Amino acid sequence: AAGVIQSPRHLIKEKRETATLKCYPIPRHDTVYWYQQGPGQDPQFLISFYEKMQSDKGSIPDRFSAQQFSDYHSELNMSSLELGDSALYFCASSLADGGSYNEQFFGPGTRLTVL
Amino acid sequence: AQSVAQPEDQVNVAEGNPLTVKCTYSVSGNPYLFWYVQYPNRGLQFLLKYITGDNLVKGSYGFEAEFNKSQTSFHLKKPSALVSDSALYFCAVRDENTGTASKLTFGTGTRLQVTL
């Protein structure tokens, strides 16, 4: 079965550089979520989109922005990178709930290292 | 704000023995609870969820979880542990009062170590 695809899988950047992470949801999934997982920590919610509109927002720095495109893929743009941004970034997708509270399916993550 | 707590950083169990990974929750309304497993350098894999209905929820790989409203708990269980079950387990609660794409709030995770 098709899963959530994230690219790149690994990314190394210097401080103050920019990075773009991409997420391709499971086919027919219309909802995308972004999470950040620091070393030894639990995933922290950043932002979510439903039908290309921002739906929920968590602890996402102002330096970060994201969007969902017409084909439902999403991109997380990160600027002025800081050492503390080094983490595993997960994308998850789901079908819109409609009351069914569908589970989120997670991608393999992008490991970002900021030097 | 909704939250979940996993009181144990690590659980050790011998293969073939039953295992329990604990989770308690705090919500203002109805609880929508999930368990995920994370293997090293991998994404989170969905195991099971409780939305409503039977208190005993069965999930993937032989795992089940028991929802207990009076104790506000949602413990993950498996009758017979396997070495391959060794991984990091996260309990999560979904926000009830937000829009369609509501976030999950995770616990701090419990590392399960199954030994021969």
Side-chain angles (χ1 to χ4, degrees), chain A residues 35 37 42 48 97 103-104, chain B residues 36 38 49 94 101 104 107:
Chain A
Y35 293 84
Q37 185 179 31
D42 54 289
S48 63
D97 281 321
E103 56 272 24
Q104 297 175 23
Chain B
Y36 284 83
Q38 185 176 28
K49 67 181 177 183
R94 178 204 156 109
L104 290 175

Side-chain angles (χ1 to χ4, degrees), chain B residues 64-95:
Chain B
E64 56 190 29
E66 186 171 8
F67 172 74
N68 188 315
K69 188 173 183 178
S70 63
Q71 297 184 5
T72 61
S73 66
F74 188 55
H75 299 334
L76 181 70
K77 300 182 179 185
K78 188 173 182 181
S80 179
L82 299 173
V83 172
S84 57
D85 292 330
S86 299
L88 188 56
Y89 290 79
F90 288 101
C91 182
V93 62
R94 178 204 156 109
D95 261 5

Side-chain angles (χ1 to χ4, degrees), chain A residues 26-94:
Chain A
I26 291 172
R28 297 193 303 114
H29 281 194
D30 48 15
T31 307
V32 169
Y33 312 77
W34 286 98
Y35 293 84
Q36 177 193 58
Q37 185 179 31
Q41 297 181 4
D42 54 289
Q44 295 291 316
F45 172 74
L46 293 177
I47 196 167
S48 63
F49 294 87
Y50 165 63
E51 284 290 344
K52 294 151 279 185
M53 298 289 289
Q54 181 181 307
S55 181
D56 198 1
K57 193 171 183 179
S59 51
I60 183 170
D62 292 340
R63 299 178 288 108
F64 294 5
S65 65
Q67 57 181 325
Q68 185 180 29
F69 295 86
S70 58
D71 63 351
Y72 296 105
H73 94 272
S74 177
E75 294 183 4
L76 178 65
N77 299 293
M78 311 160 73
S79 62
S80 302
L81 287 170
E82 301 174 356
L83 296 179
D85 296 329
S86 295
L88 196 53
Y89 290 83
F90 288 112
C91 173
S93 74
S94 71

